[in-house]
Amino acid sequence: MGTITGLGTKVGTEPIIMAGSCVLVFNSLGHLLLQRQNENLDWSLIEGVMEPGESLEETAARGLFKETGLRAKTYQLVTVLSGNATNDEYPHEDVYNVRAIFVAKEVEGELHNHVDQGIECKFFCLETALPNLNPSTEYVLKKTGYL
């Protein structure tokens, strides 16, 4: 959110286009890793906003490690999502996202939660109802065929 807020102070209320990556992490049971967010207590995918000079895969890797302490040996690109459905509304601007969706493969490390990013990380079975799912995450999971 710091990057978005910083841009908002420079461009005012004009819409912003942000590039970033979402990472789908599955455990050995096929359960999906979600993170409970600080600001609204909903559950969302692990994601990151692209930094200058960074590839979308590097964004995915940085976001995964920063938010969970996990690393993946490879990242499989599933799709790229953009358009009106990716719009996030913030108090002073609209952000239109271009998101590369990756599945993390051969994940290693000890799972922890980065306090600034979320309250907790937990694996969920996709065949049962997911609690308080973030609308953006729900959209990504539906578009990629996981929901």
Side-chain angles (χ1 to χ4, degrees):
M1 176 109 113
T3 303
I4 295 167
T5 304
L7 280 174
T9 62
K10 293 178 182 175
V11 299
T13 58
E14 293 296 315
I16 299 170
I17 298 172
M18 297 291 292
S21 297
C22 288
V23 184
L24 305 174
V25 179
F26 295 95
N27 66 14
S28 60
L29 299 173
H31 297 171
L32 177 65
L33 181 64
L34 296 175
Q35 183 180 63
R36 192 172 204 178
Q37 298 299 303
N38 289 335
E39 61 271 0
N40 52 17
L41 303 180
D42 61 6
W43 291 91
S44 68
L45 293 170
I46 307 303
E47 58 186 11
V49 174
M50 182 183 277
E51 294 182 354
E54 194 172 52
S55 72
L56 289 166
E57 189 172 312
E58 290 168 336
T59 301
R62 179 179 48 79
L64 179 62
F65 183 71
K66 180 180 177 184
E67 294 185 20
T68 68
L70 301 175
R71 295 185 191 274
K73 289 190 178 179
T74 60
Y75 294 85
Q76 178 185 355
L77 178 65
V78 176
T79 192
V80 176
L81 300 175
S82 60
N84 284 331
T86 70
N87 182 17
D88 289 327
E89 293 181 17
Y90 291 89
H92 301 293
E93 66 268 338
D94 284 345
V95 177
Y96 292 87
N97 294 291
V98 177
R99 286 192 181 111
I101 313 302
F102 292 93
V103 172
K105 301 287 189 175
E106 300 180 62
V107 178
E108 302 174 328
E110 187 173 327
L111 180 63
H112 73 270
N113 186 60
H114 188 282
V115 178
D116 291 340
Q117 302 297 317
I119 296 170
E120 64 180 311
C121 291
K122 184 177 173 182
F123 284 94
F124 289 90
C125 176
L126 293 176
E127 295 175 11
T128 60
L130 297 172
N132 202 25
L133 195 60
N134 175 286
S136 177
T137 292
E138 184 174 3
Y139 173 75
V140 169
L141 293 176
K142 284 181 177 178
K143 289 296 282 186
T144 54
Y146 289 103
L147 279 186

